[in-house]
Amino acid sequence: MGPRSEYDRILQKQALLCANFSDSIDKTAPFAIEWEPITKTPRRGPLFFCDEFRCHAAHFSGVAKGWCAIMKIHSGFRRTGNSAALVLSVVCAFVLASQCADAQPAPAPAQPASIGKTAQPAPKSSAAWPWTDRSLSAGRRADLVIQEMTLDEKIVLMHGVNALKGTVDTGFDWAAEPNEYVGVVPPIKRLGIPSLKLADGRAGVGNKARDITLLPAPIAAASSWDTGLLNEYGRVLGEEQWGKGTNVALGPSIDVVRVPEWGRSFESYGEDPFFNGQMAAAEIKGIQSQGPIADANMYLTMNQESDRFRADSVVDERTLQEIYLPPFEASVKDGHVGTFMCAYVKTNGVYSCENAHILRDLLKTQLKFDGWVMSDWGATHSTADCANNGLDQQMPDDTFYGAALKKAVVDGKVSIATIDDHVRRILVPMFRQGLFDKAQPGKWSSNVRSPQHDRFSRSVAEQGTILLKNAGGLLPLQAGAAIAVIGAAGDKAPKIEGGGSSEVIAPYTVSPLEGIRKRAGAGVQITYADGSDLAQAAKTAGAAQLAMVFVNTDETEGDDRPDLVLPGKQDALIAAVAAANKQTIVVLDTGGPVLMPWADQVAGIVEAWYPGQEDGNAIASIVYGDVNPSAKLPLSFPRTAAEIPTATKQQWPGIDGHSVYSEGLNVGYRWYDATGTQPLFPFGFGLSYTSFQISHLVVEPAKLELGSGATGKITVRVDVTNTGKRKGAEVVEVYVGHPPENGEPPHQLRAFGKVQLEPGQTKPVTLELDERSFSTFDVMKGRWIVRAGSYEILAGDSSRDLPLHSIITVGHSLSR
Ligand code: BGC
């Protein structure tokens, strides 16, 4: 047995003893058991014993260290009620106090030169840490720390750990900082590297956190078409995460909704790559402005939940570049996001977290992303392939990135340069975000709620609720009208959020019945039927002036919906109520589109999404007209099950594990337009209680100048007039149509802007189109190209209502 394997054997034994020992103690005890680094030079006899049972070496010195450690062990044994262990602890105290405290480690065994530092020198004072110099760049500071790190310390940064399961003592006090975060990387106190504490949070702090705010689902926020609102959404999330001690906030989810049945569409922003990119950048900036690093997810082609741990997205390169990559590109270039989460699925046969093309070629080389990629929970499938192909950090444990990674380095399968690159990518955003420079006072138990956040939650629900149908101007409601509220979601079981890792414990819920009753005021007849008995529901509806039926879908991570039909008897409920009362309004609490066979039978349709804790107050504001609806669909609603872009089994959920993206670029409204299919409600559509006119389209210059010295930009200007009697907001949508030879979908969203208008008021709206608006991805050249030709600029208020047209020309081609 050579020195290396002898060393490994002893280390393994130490690690095992530590693990067994920690298993035998009461894990809820408020004390810490922290083991010496397993890389520490092993000793023999009583000193070896010391190594296994010595605690808190980093925090104490001399006899105090030994004594303190023993008191902790002792109190641990006492809690287990094991009296034999008490005796052992006394012996342990004697040994430690007399020998361990002052013991000097023996010289380290020889290590291959290539794996870098392995011995851990004593902690330096922070004054001696050059990386604390804030005047240096994040990259320089990262390089300075890396120079001091041992291989074990580097590996510590590259994976998460579970409470009491850490095998490397980094000075982390597990007891003082209980692991309620969904992912933790312990601090390396010797070098002043702070811990990473990760928590879910797409619509509020998740992972069963209490005393937080439940915001409406991201799809609702995105329906505002207001990047300012998304920025504020991110700020509120970021502030609450930071207040909870989180410094890596897992969100936003930014994948394009390709399949309308996708179980996580409520977590995303919708079906357009440009739109999702704008929303993502705004939200990320908001989150990161409050302290935490944002983690945009899920990278890449995570577009279905069916078979998600095995599913293979078969997608051509151009589609990957033009449809699925842009939200991530905007997150890097505009959002300056610190980290991404690679997905469960495979892209073209290779798991996302070991896919060299998507991680290295696209993300790190093409997009120049200099932060880190962490795996989704359980999405790591290998050690060397992941490490060599671009995965920087395994979450939530060390199955592949702990001992196995160290072995891969020792065996020469992963180079130290590769390890250093991963570590640098983790450290750079940490420095950039100031995690080394500012204290993180938050605790998981902190109450981070505030009246402002409650108000904001309501405002997002109001700004995100879409008026889809309003026959005869039934809405807004007349004061005093007798209303029948029908359906489980109306009161008995309000559907305020989607399921899975984004789930949040709402501090309270205002049901629609409560909200409407409060708004209607005393003396107004507001009745309720939960809808379980159709005849009873119809009777209740028939006895009122108008009926509001609340229906919902139960969407969650881990499951796609089987189809777009409202579950259970909800279609029948609507039909029964509509037959009893012509003045029926359907309110949808869904995370994505549903089929509406009853659409012609009802007077009103409102998409309220998953509206969060303020559900009832928000819907009351909308239906009574306190807030004029101004939201628009961020995805298309189909007319029938067959008329969707991914209707074949091969496309979704896939055959033999392969989901073929045969619709190519024709995702969402692009497909409806390309195939001449009429959706029930198109992308970009939404009504208001007032009316608007968009006019006077001016596009300048009429010729796109490219190349050096040219801006590569086109300015689009329109006038928007409020032609109705109420104050309201309108979204101007600008689409670009390519010349047919470019092979693009008929027209694609490239700019939008929202404007508030008083009745009769006109305001100009100026938007900008950049070079990318006129580009296609050339797969042979591997780059974006602007081709010469005539391009159509279309402006209006939905993807299907674009009355204003103009043409610009591109004189010569340019590739980037
Ligand atoms: C989800 C991620 C989430 C993680 C941690 C996974 O199942 O896909 O979005 O962040 O769990 O909860």
Side-chain angles (χ1 to χ4, degrees):
M1 198 185 276
R4 170 92 236 135
S5 49
E6 162 75 337
Y7 178 65
D8 283 344
R9 193 183 61 72
I10 294 170
L11 294 188
Q12 260 174 18
K13 192 174 166 212
Q14 276 186 281
L16 196 68
L17 278 166
C18 289
N20 290 342
F21 180 69
S22 69
D23 277 342
S24 74
I25 61 170
D26 174 7
K27 293 195 170 90
T28 61
F31 62 88
I33 297 296
E34 296 187 19
W35 303 107
E36 289 287 9
I38 59 165
T39 51
K40 194 170 174 58
T41 309
R43 290 188 279 259
R44 299 281 181 271
L47 291 181
F48 183 48
F49 173 78
C50 289
D51 274 343
E52 285 146 17
F53 292 94
R54 224 164 63 149
C55 305
H56 273 281
H59 300 314
F60 303 99
S61 63
V63 172
K65 174 163 67 176
W67 181 245
C68 175
I70 288 324
M71 288 316 290
K72 283 170 185 261
I73 293 175
H74 172 73
S75 68
F77 282 134
R78 223 178 29 185
R79 279 167 182 273
T80 63
N82 184 338
S83 57
L86 188 62
V87 177
L88 180 59
S89 73
V90 174
V91 175
C92 196
F94 173 74
V95 175
L96 281 167
S98 63
Q99 298 186 54
C100 303
D102 299 313
Q104 293 302 310
Q111 296 282 331
S114 63
I115 68 168
K117 286 174 185 281
T118 52
Q120 295 188 5
K124 284 183 189 168
S125 85
S126 57
W129 291 334
W131 51 89
T132 55
D133 181 350
R134 297 183 196 189
S135 69
L136 301 175
S137 70
R140 177 74 188 126
R141 294 174 76 181
D143 290 338
L144 288 167
V145 191
I146 291 171
Q147 280 169 23
E148 288 297 318
M149 292 174 81
T150 65
L151 176 60
D152 293 284
E153 286 167 338
K154 291 173 184 171
I155 288 177
V156 163
L157 266 191
M158 289 177 64
H159 65 80
V161 286
N162 294 323
L164 294 168
K165 292 276 165 56
T167 48
V168 177
D169 181 356
T170 64
F172 187 40
D173 186 346
W174 289 108
E177 301 178 65
N179 184 8
E180 265 134 336
Y181 302 91
V182 74
V184 170
V185 176
I188 300 175
K189 296 208 165 158
R190 185 180 79 82
L191 302 172
I193 300 176
S195 61
L196 292 176
K197 295 176 186 167
L198 290 62
D200 280 303
R202 276 71 177 187
V205 183
N207 313 131
K208 301 198 163 52
R210 299 255 169 200
D211 302 321
I212 48 79
T213 307
L214 170 61
L215 299 170
I219 194 87
S223 299
S224 68
W225 287 59
D226 180 350
T227 50
L229 187 92
L230 263 288
N231 184 259
E232 191 56 31
Y233 190 92
R235 290 173 72 88
V236 169
L237 276 176
E239 189 189 320
E240 295 207 355
Q241 289 277 23
W242 189 255
K244 285 283 185 188
T246 309
N247 55 16
V248 181
L250 302 178
S253 301
I254 65 176
D255 290 274
V256 162
V257 179
R258 166 183 182 251
V259 175
E261 296 91 344
W262 184 32
R264 294 183 87 164
S265 56
F266 69 91
E267 283 183 43
S268 179
Y269 305 125
E271 69 188 23
D272 183 80
F274 170 77
F275 179 85
N276 283 20
Q278 297 287 301
M279 297 296 153
E283 186 176 339
I284 289 164
K285 283 194 251 186
I287 293 171
Q288 296 196 157
S289 72
Q290 300 304 302
I293 296 171
D295 170 72
N297 52 81
M298 284 79 53
Y299 187 77
L300 190 65
T301 71
M302 187 73 216
N303 307 113
Q304 66 179 54
E305 294 303 286
S306 306
D307 203 17
R308 68 175 178 163
F309 298 118
R310 269 182 352 116
D312 176 22
S313 309
V314 181
V315 51
D316 68 273
E317 182 67 15
R318 180 169 172 188
T319 302
L320 208 54
Q321 292 274 357
E322 295 193 14
I323 302 289
Y324 297 102
L325 196 56
F328 294 89
E329 178 172 8
S331 303
V332 175
K333 295 183 177 165
D334 302 337
H336 309 294
V337 71
T339 173
F340 285 112
M341 183 186 290
C342 53
Y344 288 127
V345 293
K346 299 172 193 148
T347 300
N348 294 324
V350 184
Y351 278 115
S352 303
C353 298
E354 58 189 56
N355 191 318
H357 182 55
I358 67 166
L359 295 176
R360 275 204 337 237
D361 301 349
L362 301 189
L363 193 57
K364 296 183 176 180
T365 307
Q366 184 182 316
L367 302 187
K368 300 190 174 57
F369 173 60
D370 66 358
W372 86 93
V373 178
M374 70 175 70
S375 71
D376 199 343
W377 275 230
T380 311
H381 295 277
S382 64
T383 298
D385 280 350
C386 280
N388 291 329
N389 294 339
L391 176 68
D392 303 301
Q393 189 179 61
Q394 177 183 6
M395 277 294 155
D397 57 33
D398 64 350
T399 343
F400 293 99
Y401 267 28
L405 183 56
K406 183 166 183 182
K407 184 168 182 321
V409 174
V410 171
D411 292 349
K413 292 188 178 137
V414 175
S415 73
I416 200 73
T418 299
I419 296 287
D420 285 355
D421 177 60
H422 293 309
V423 172
R424 191 175 195 277
R425 288 173 168 282
I426 298 166
L427 290 169
V428 164
M430 289 174 72
F431 277 115
R432 207 172 267 152
Q433 196 62 20
L435 299 191
F436 280 74
D437 307 326
K438 60 185 170 208
Q440 164 50 294
K443 290 257 174 275
W444 192 250
S445 52
S446 307
N447 183 346
V448 293
R449 292 187 53 212
S450 69
Q452 293 93 307
H453 289 186
D454 292 345
R455 277 199 295 277
F456 180 69
S457 184
R458 174 172 176 168
S459 149
V460 175
E462 291 163 352
Q463 297 307 315
T465 296
I466 309 174
L467 181 62
L468 293 173
K469 180 174 181 183
N470 190 19
L474 178 60
L475 294 175
L477 299 177
Q478 301 300 323
I483 302 169
V485 173
I486 313 279
D491 191 52
K492 198 169 142 193
K495 184 63 191 167
I496 55 173
E497 63 174 329
S501 61
S502 68
E503 205 168 308
V504 163
I505 299 180
Y508 61 86
T509 304
V510 179
S511 80
L513 180 65
E514 286 166 340
I516 289 167
R517 275 202 173 134
K518 194 164 84 189
R519 175 60 181 79
V524 179
Q525 184 198 315
I526 311 285
T527 50
Y528 177 67
D530 69 11
S532 53
D533 177 338
L534 298 192
Q536 167 66 28
K539 198 167 156 217
T540 309
Q545 267 168 276
L546 78 137
M548 291 180 67
V549 192
F550 287 82
V551 290
N552 70 285
T553 53
D554 203 7
E555 293 167 48
T556 180
E557 174 187 337
D559 258 330
D560 289 331
R561 282 185 282 159
D563 50 42
L564 300 178
V565 177
L566 277 170
K569 294 187 186 144
Q570 297 185 97
D571 281 339
L573 174 64
I574 296 169
V577 170
N581 191 331
K582 293 288 157 235
Q583 314 263 63
T584 290
I585 296 156
V586 175
V587 179
L588 299 158
D589 286 320
T590 70
V594 288
L595 298 177
M596 305 185 204
W598 35 260
D600 292 338
Q601 298 157 34
V602 300
I605 304 173
V606 177
E607 175 55 89
W609 308 109
Y610 295 148
Q613 64 191 37
E614 285 280 334
D615 181 1
N617 286 334
I619 195 69
S621 305
I622 291 285
V623 295
Y624 280 99
D626 304 334
V627 171
N628 189 351
S630 62
K632 301 200 174 227
L633 284 176
L635 34 72
S636 312
F637 275 46
R639 199 169 275 283
T640 68
E643 292 172 319
I644 59 170
T646 48
T648 71
K649 207 163 173 253
Q650 194 190 43
Q651 289 172 292
W652 174 81
I655 295 176
D656 296 334
H658 303 290
S659 306
V660 182
Y661 287 39
S662 52
E663 71 286 352
L665 303 176
N666 287 329
V667 173
Y669 67 89
R670 291 163 167 78
W671 179 86
Y672 290 89
D673 295 340
T675 57
T677 307
Q678 184 64 38
L680 182 60
F681 296 111
F683 174 83
F685 172 78
L687 300 171
S688 164
Y689 296 148
T690 187
S691 51
F692 300 97
Q693 192 190 8
I694 304 178
S695 60
H696 302 114
L697 172 67
V698 178
V699 178
E700 285 175 338
K703 187 168 176 191
L704 179 67
E705 302 298 339
L706 297 168
S708 63
T711 62
K713 296 212 160 105
I714 295 282
T715 301
V716 177
R717 215 195 84 146
V718 291
D719 288 334
V720 187
T721 305
N722 182 344
T723 51
K725 295 195 171 57
R726 278 173 181 264
K727 145 175 141 177
E730 174 65 310
V731 178
V732 176
E733 304 173 28
V734 175
Y735 295 74
V736 172
H738 283 242
E741 56 276 19
N742 285 7
E744 290 288 312
H747 56 257
Q748 308 184 73
L749 183 76
R750 289 306 311 179
F752 58 91
K754 196 165 186 174
V755 59
Q756 303 278 345
L757 294 162
E758 295 297 326
Q761 193 182 16
T762 298
K763 278 189 191 168
V765 173
T766 304
L767 301 167
E768 206 167 64
L769 297 172
D770 60 5
E771 210 177 279
R772 180 62 69 79
S773 309
F774 307 98
S775 303
T776 56
F777 190 82
D778 187 316
V779 175
M780 297 310 283
K781 293 201 171 86
R783 55 181 57 194
W784 287 92
I785 298 216
V786 187
R787 292 176 208 276
S790 299
Y791 292 76
E792 196 176 17
I793 314 294
L794 306 97
D797 65 359
S798 98
S799 64
R800 283 294 171 110
D801 187 10
L802 299 167
L804 304 176
H805 293 220
S806 182
I807 299 284
I808 66 136
T809 57
V810 175
H812 63 90
S813 300
L814 182 84
S815 63
R816 292 274 179 204

